[in-house]
Amino acid sequence: MKSPNPLTRFIDLCHRIYARDFVPGSGGNASMRLGDRIVITPSGVSLGMLEEQDLVTIAMDGSVIGAGKPSKEWRMHMNCYERDDVNVVIHVHSPYSVAVACLTDLDHSCAMPVYTPGYSVRVGALPVVPYYRAGSTELANSIIAIMADRNSLLLENHGVLTVGATIDQAFNLVEEIEENAHLHFTLNGRGKPLSRQQQDDLNGKY
Ligand SMILES: [Zn+2]
């Protein structure tokens, strides 16, 4: 049975992200809306080791409430919460997705072919924002237009950003994207992606 305590479930999410090898070292960050504030993972602490008291609280104006130093990507997270339906934000460096984000011939409107129905429906044509320094205001602002009407994107030469109304929604997107990226490299150019018509046919039926 799932714990009713949202902070306990959030810490569990951070541990799952680490256990799945989606963040090497102290990389990656996650946050969750709690009423009129955001709790976010701290700077420089491995998500695998995180405890509730390590979390940093931020007001909606970006000011830190209490102690702690938030993840350097806190501006990117806050920009995602401009949408009222977003309650969880996850940013990871999952290896196959990062490999896609480092391809020389990257299509910024669709990072990789769509191979499976689930990925087609939940992710589809995955957009990529250009490279900006991690933690910069430029990176934080680069995601705003795309995230206004979708729940996932790639950061060039960097990683993945997903949002959701719930922890599971945001985490499932990370897993879907990593799985499709894994397939992409496993198939090594021999894969047959779903056609546009096959993808259109899934709308509302999956
Ligand atoms: Zn990052």
Side-chain angles (χ1 to χ4, degrees):
M1 193 179 136
K2 285 176 178 170
S3 164
N5 182 340
L7 284 181
T8 306
R9 297 195 57 220
F10 183 73
I11 292 293
D12 178 59
L13 163 73
C14 295
H15 293 171
R16 274 192 290 158
I17 289 171
Y18 187 81
R20 289 291 309 272
D21 290 330
F22 289 166
V23 285
S26 62
N29 31 80
S31 65
M32 178 174 64
R33 191 197 298 272
L34 273 185
D36 61 353
R37 18 187 97 171
I38 305 298
V39 289
I40 188 166
T41 53
S43 176
V45 179
S46 164
L47 296 191
M49 304 293 288
L50 211 62
E51 299 178 18
E52 253 181 67
Q53 60 263 32
D54 299 321
L55 296 174
V56 181
T57 304
I58 302 180
M60 298 312 289
D61 67 2
S63 58
V64 172
I65 300 171
K69 184 180 177 197
S71 160
K72 66 172 175 283
E73 304 290 10
W74 67 271
R75 290 185 194 84
M76 185 167 77
H77 286 249
M78 295 311 287
N79 284 339
C80 294
Y81 291 108
E82 292 292 318
R83 257 173 58 189
D84 290 340
D85 62 325
V86 169
N87 293 315
V88 177
V89 178
I90 300 175
H91 164 57
V92 294
H93 306 151
S94 39
Y96 288 101
S97 305
V98 173
V100 168
C102 296
L103 288 171
T104 52
D105 56 350
L106 197 54
D107 176 351
H108 282 68
S109 63
C110 181
M112 53 185 162
V114 173
Y115 292 110
T116 63
Y119 181 82
S120 172
V121 169
R122 287 186 280 275
V123 180
L126 180 65
V128 188
V129 295
Y131 176 81
Y132 295 101
R133 182 174 51 80
S136 66
T137 305
E138 289 83 359
L139 179 64
N141 290 341
S142 74
I143 62 99
I144 295 173
I146 290 173
M147 284 312 227
D149 58 9
R150 58 170 290 132
N151 294 335
S152 58
L153 56 72
L154 277 191
L155 312 172
E156 187 178 348
N157 284 84
H158 185 165
V160 179
L161 179 67
T162 70
V163 302
T166 65
I167 285 174
D168 286 345
Q169 280 180 13
F171 186 63
N172 288 348
L173 284 176
V174 172
E175 291 192 303
E176 292 271 6
I177 292 166
E178 183 67 359
E179 176 62 22
N180 198 76
H182 190 182
L183 279 174
H184 185 50
F185 288 107
T186 303
L187 290 163
N188 193 24
R190 290 178 293 136
K192 183 178 74 66
L194 291 179
S195 67
R196 186 67 257 169
Q197 189 187 344
Q198 285 171 323
Q199 292 184 57
D200 291 344
D201 184 52
L202 291 165
N203 285 336
K205 300 175 193 160
Y206 190 82

